[in-house]
Amino acid sequence: MNRFQIALVLSLGSLLSACSTAPRAPVVTQPTAPQTVQPKAVKPVRIGLALGGGAARGFAHIGVIKALEAQGIVPDYVAGTSAGSLVGAMYAAGNNGFALHKLALEMDEAAISDWSVPLFAKSTGVLKGEALQQYVNRTLGNAPIEKLKIPFGAVATDLNTGTPILFRRGNTGAAVRASSAVPGVFQPVRIGDHSYVDGGLVSPVPVRFVREMGADFVIAVNISAQPDAQPSTSSVDVVLQTFAIMGQSINQYELKEADVVIQPRLGTMKGSDFPGRNTAILAGEQAAAAIMPELRRKLAARKEQ
């Protein structure tokens, strides 16, 4: 190898060495976008309103509804027994608390009382109940249960089997009549192949039924009377007091399943005391207002679960 070749080889080696040790271009990385923490989704709470039975004491339900609405609390489901089915149907049809109050003041007891004549007819009650059915249907424009604005159910008792039934479809007035048919006061109601009487025999405050309808937070309104506070002055009073006694043990069991129980202070108001409607409505408002802080706290806690 001559001097020229040797120089050429050395030159190429220097170039290759320089290429192998040349600094590489820095790798540019894109900055990582900061991760945002998604707020915990608030689960909508489906509120159920369970309205108990108690004849004329049921006017207290209207006061409760007025107080709830004043706080922006509107139920997603309504279930009612006896008097609770009457108020519940009217409310579910779209009448707010003030409209219900107006209906109560305008209600003529004679308009829902159709007396039978047990002495001359085969009758098992002093009231037929047809007038009540007609009053409900007339007031609601004959809207069936499934067409009411709020999902509604009326609890009655199958007279032959003693099993409860929750009317969710069909004639609203007939369902309310069946739910309110206190044995010995109203005649049993024939619907299809079955006869029905008051739902208070099986569910004085229908908490479990409104849960079955879809509610996961239940507000129960208990208007039943303490038996020892109800002086009996007529046969109707005796029957209603008997119902109050029967309902005590059932209520103790079922009310435990409610999230909040509102119990208006109605004192010795009788189930037959229709003139006392304003007093009952006011008692309902006061009871709901008194329990409102607890109700709001429990409702907020349920939303966070």
Side-chain angles (χ1 to χ4, degrees):
M1 182 179 293
N2 57 30
R3 293 178 179 177
F4 175 77
Q5 291 174 326
I6 293 171
L8 181 60
V9 170
L10 293 173
S11 299
L12 288 173
S14 299
L15 287 172
L16 291 172
S17 177
C19 290
S20 63
T21 59
R24 296 180 179 179
V27 178
V28 179
T29 58
Q30 295 293 331
T32 304
Q35 294 184 351
T36 57
V37 179
Q38 295 294 331
K40 184 179 179 181
V42 177
K43 180 183 176 182
V45 177
R46 297 168 298 183
I47 299 174
L49 183 62
L51 303 177
R57 294 166 66 93
F59 286 110
H61 290 316
I62 297 174
V64 171
I65 290 170
K66 289 176 67 177
L68 293 176
E69 286 183 336
Q71 296 295 320
I73 299 173
V74 178
D76 300 284
Y77 304 93
V78 178
T81 294
S82 197
S85 73
L86 173 59
V87 176
M90 298 294 181
Y91 182 45
N95 295 292
N96 63 19
F98 288 98
L100 291 174
H101 197 154
K102 185 173 183 293
L103 284 171
L105 295 179
E106 294 174 347
M107 179 185 288
D108 181 4
E109 185 180 354
I112 60 172
S113 302
D114 45 0
W115 298 91
S116 63
V117 188
L119 183 63
F120 299 106
K122 292 181 180 180
S123 174
T124 53
V126 296
L127 294 173
K128 298 177 183 178
E130 293 174 357
L132 175 62
Q133 177 175 335
Q134 292 168 1
Y135 171 80
V136 172
N137 287 334
R138 182 172 63 252
T139 304
L140 303 187
N142 292 311
I145 296 175
E146 64 271 20
K147 296 295 184 180
L148 301 182
K149 295 183 179 180
I150 301 175
F152 170 71
V155 180
T157 305
D158 189 310
L159 184 58
N160 296 323
T161 65
T163 56
I165 181 172
L166 183 68
F167 287 103
R168 296 290 311 277
R169 301 181 61 83
N171 188 308
T172 306
V176 170
R177 176 187 175 189
S179 181
S180 306
V182 179
V185 178
F186 284 92
Q187 296 176 6
V189 180
R190 188 78 177 174
I191 300 177
D193 296 329
H194 297 263
S195 293
Y196 298 99
V197 292
D198 196 292
L201 287 169
V202 289
S203 183
V205 185
V207 174
R208 64 188 176 98
F209 286 102
V210 79
R211 282 204 187 277
E212 290 176 5
M213 291 170 66
D216 44 35
F217 186 91
V218 177
I219 302 169
V221 186
N222 179 22
I223 57 168
S224 62
Q226 293 297 325
D228 58 357
Q230 291 291 293
S232 301
T233 58
S234 69
S235 59
V236 171
D237 288 335
V238 170
V239 172
L240 295 177
Q241 184 172 359
T242 302
F243 251 60
I245 295 170
M246 292 172 56
Q248 293 302 307
S249 58
I250 302 175
N251 268 346
Q252 290 176 7
Y253 168 76
E254 193 155 12
L255 290 176
K256 290 180 181 179
E257 303 300 317
D259 294 277
V260 173
V261 177
I262 300 174
Q263 185 150 358
R265 295 184 177 181
L266 298 170
T268 58
M269 179 181 181
K270 298 179 182 179
S272 57
D273 186 9
F274 277 82
R277 65 194 75 185
N278 264 327
T279 301
I281 292 171
L282 179 59
E285 289 188 67
Q286 292 173 337
I291 207 169
M292 195 60 66
E294 177 187 346
L295 194 160
R296 284 200 167 280
R297 177 177 55 80
K298 289 185 175 181
L299 191 55
R302 180 58 59 88
K303 289 179 179 179
E304 294 176 358
Q305 290 179 356

